[in-house]
């Protein structure tokens, strides 16, 4: 298979990486990576704060208009591209998947922040004016003392805390720890099983709750049924496979555990509004 969307490793785009983290001014980062305008994936976590500039950037086939004080977060594996306009500036942080592994009692702790959890389908949002000065100051300190890895971890977690505090989250996520944990576990189970388990009742059984409870919680908090959330994850993987490799449609159908090519095409067209072939022509 010929990869259409390369996986970018941190060492190829980051300068002066210190024990798994890089913090840099956006202007300098773009000057060194000016050719990185093609669709690509990362094998590391990536966050970017814009303080100047415009244009567009795309994450997993969703396009966003760039405005100052927008911030976005990306997890490993997501497909990304950008087209910038004007003088760009801000901050870029790249950190390895295991950056917090030996530092926190719960290695999956960063998943409790909404922009990494998948519970709020919006990893792109605006930094509110009241928090801007403090967040920029923390980015600057993080950049200055990046060589102190424990300080870097604490400063980065503090930035996450400040950003999480300013977000308007659903009450079920903000105040109910049990429901928050339940939904995170549901999404984690989808990530592990979406190719083989397609029915909400299968996941409800793994979570020791009823399908009705799971469905009601998903609708109340995420705005979609449990079945729709499962189907959207399958659809996203289909789009990634169409863009990433020279798979035939039948191979993708097989990879995603569809019984036949025709059923996969109907599933894709219903979810995306175009056939797999039409989607591929548009995105490669």
């Amino acid at each position: 298979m010929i990869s259409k969307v390369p996986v970018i490793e941190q060492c190829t785009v980051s300068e002066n990486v210190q024990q798994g983290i890089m913090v840099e001014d956006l202007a300098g980062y773009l000057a060194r990576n000016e050719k990185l305008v093609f669709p690509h994936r990362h094998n590391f976590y990536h966050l970017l704060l814009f303080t100047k500039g415009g244009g567009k950037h795309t994450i997993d086939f969703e396009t966003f208009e760039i405005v100052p004080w927008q911030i976005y977060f990306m997890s490993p594996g997501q497909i990304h591209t950008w087209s910038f306009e004007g003088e760009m500036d801000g901050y870029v942080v790249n950190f390895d998947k295991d950056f917090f592994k030996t530092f926190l009692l719960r290695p999956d702790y960063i998943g409790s922040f909404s922009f990494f959890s998948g519970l709020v389908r919006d990893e792109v949002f605006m930094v509110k004016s009241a928090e801007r000065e403090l967040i920029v100051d923390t980015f600057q300190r993080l950049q200055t003392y990046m060589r102190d890895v424990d300080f870097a971890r604490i400063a980065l977690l503090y930035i996450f805390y400040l950003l999480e505090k300013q977000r308007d989250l659903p009450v079920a996520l903000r105040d109910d720890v049990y429901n928050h944990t339940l939904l995170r576990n549901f999404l984690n189970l989808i990530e592990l099983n979406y190719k083989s388990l397609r029915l909400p009742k299968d996941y409800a059984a793994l979570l020791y709750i009823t399908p009705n409870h799971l469905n009601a919680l998903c609708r109340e908090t995420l705005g979609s049924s449990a079945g729709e959330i499962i189907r959207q994850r399958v659809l996203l993987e289909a789009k990634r496979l169409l863009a990433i490799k020279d798979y035939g449609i039948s191979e993708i159908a097989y990879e995603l555990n569809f019984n036949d090519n025709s059923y996969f095409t109907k599933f894709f067209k219903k979810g995306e509004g175009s056939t797999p072939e039409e989607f591929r022509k548009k995105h490669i």
Side-chain angles (χ1 to χ4, degrees):
M1 301 295 177
I2 300 173
S3 177
K4 286 188 170 70
V5 181
V7 178
I8 304 298
E9 298 184 1
Q10 176 150 208
C11 61
T12 65
V13 295
S14 302
E15 189 173 61
N16 193 28
V17 180
Q18 299 294 326
Q19 301 186 67
I21 186 171
M22 180 226 73
V23 187
E24 191 173 350
D25 293 337
L26 177 59
Y29 184 83
L30 294 179
R32 287 189 302 98
N33 297 292
E34 61 181 350
K35 296 181 179 179
L36 196 65
V37 294
F38 51 84
H40 60 276
R41 295 171 288 160
H42 301 153
N43 71 348
F44 50 86
Y45 287 95
H46 170 72
L47 69 97
L48 193 154
L49 170 66
F50 298 103
T51 56
K52 291 182 182 178
K56 298 179 180 180
H57 65 101
T58 301
I59 300 174
D60 274 340
F61 314 104
E62 185 174 359
T63 300
F64 303 89
E65 294 284 343
I66 296 167
V67 292
W69 299 107
Q70 182 187 84
I71 192 166
Y72 71 75
F73 294 80
M74 285 182 56
S75 297
Q78 292 185 287
I79 294 178
H80 178 52
T81 188
W82 58 41
S83 175
F84 294 142
E85 297 174 0
E87 182 183 358
M88 306 298 300
D89 209 355
Y91 295 92
V92 181
V93 179
N94 297 333
F95 62 97
D96 291 346
K97 289 185 287 187
D98 294 332
F99 184 62
F100 291 103
K101 187 173 183 179
T102 60
F103 185 70
L104 298 170
L105 290 176
R106 287 174 46 205
D108 64 342
Y109 176 73
I110 65 167
S112 65
F113 294 103
S114 61
F115 32 81
F116 287 128
S117 70
L119 295 179
V120 180
R121 301 293 182 182
D122 188 4
E123 294 84 10
V124 180
F125 57 95
M126 296 295 294
V127 178
K128 293 182 178 179
S129 57
E131 304 289 351
R132 292 173 184 175
E133 184 177 350
L134 182 54
I135 285 176
V136 166
D137 179 69
T138 308
F139 269 117
Q140 291 173 342
R141 292 174 184 270
L142 178 58
Q143 189 173 6
T144 300
Y145 300 107
M146 185 177 59
R147 291 178 181 274
D148 184 338
V149 67
D150 284 344
F151 175 85
R153 288 167 173 149
I154 292 169
L156 196 53
L157 288 171
Y158 183 53
I159 289 172
F160 295 164
Y161 167 78
L162 291 173
L163 292 169
E164 185 79 351
K165 187 178 69 171
Q166 64 131 56
R167 301 199 73 188
D168 299 320
L169 300 175
V171 173
L173 292 182
R174 188 178 65 243
D175 299 332
D176 193 327
V177 175
Y178 173 75
N179 281 341
H180 186 281
T181 302
L182 192 61
L183 285 170
R184 281 183 56 215
N185 289 341
F186 174 50
L187 294 181
N188 289 338
L189 286 170
I190 292 175
E191 200 64 30
L192 293 172
N193 300 287
Y194 66 87
K195 292 182 181 180
S196 56
L197 300 181
R198 298 286 171 80
L199 300 177
K201 67 177 184 180
D202 297 326
Y203 292 94
L206 293 171
L207 293 166
Y208 300 101
I209 60 176
T210 67
N212 286 343
H213 182 185
L214 177 61
N215 203 45
L217 187 58
C218 288
R219 286 190 180 279
E220 178 186 359
T221 308
L222 305 181
S224 300
S225 68
E228 180 62 20
I229 293 167
I230 298 165
R231 289 189 291 274
Q232 284 299 317
R233 181 61 186 91
V234 178
L235 182 64
L236 173 59
E237 195 64 20
K239 291 192 286 187
R240 286 176 175 175
L241 290 172
L242 285 163
I244 288 170
K245 292 185 180 293
D246 283 330
Y247 283 121
I249 304 303
S250 59
E251 291 175 287
I252 294 174
Y254 178 80
E255 175 73 14
L256 296 177
N257 203 27
F258 285 87
N259 291 330
D260 58 59
N261 197 19
S262 175
Y263 180 42
F264 168 68
T265 298
K266 290 178 181 177
F267 169 87
F268 190 92
K269 188 170 183 179
K270 182 178 180 180
E272 186 62 20
S274 64
T275 66
E277 293 88 347
E278 290 167 345
F279 178 87
R280 171 171 275 166
K281 288 177 182 178
K282 182 179 178 180
H283 291 277
I284 62 173

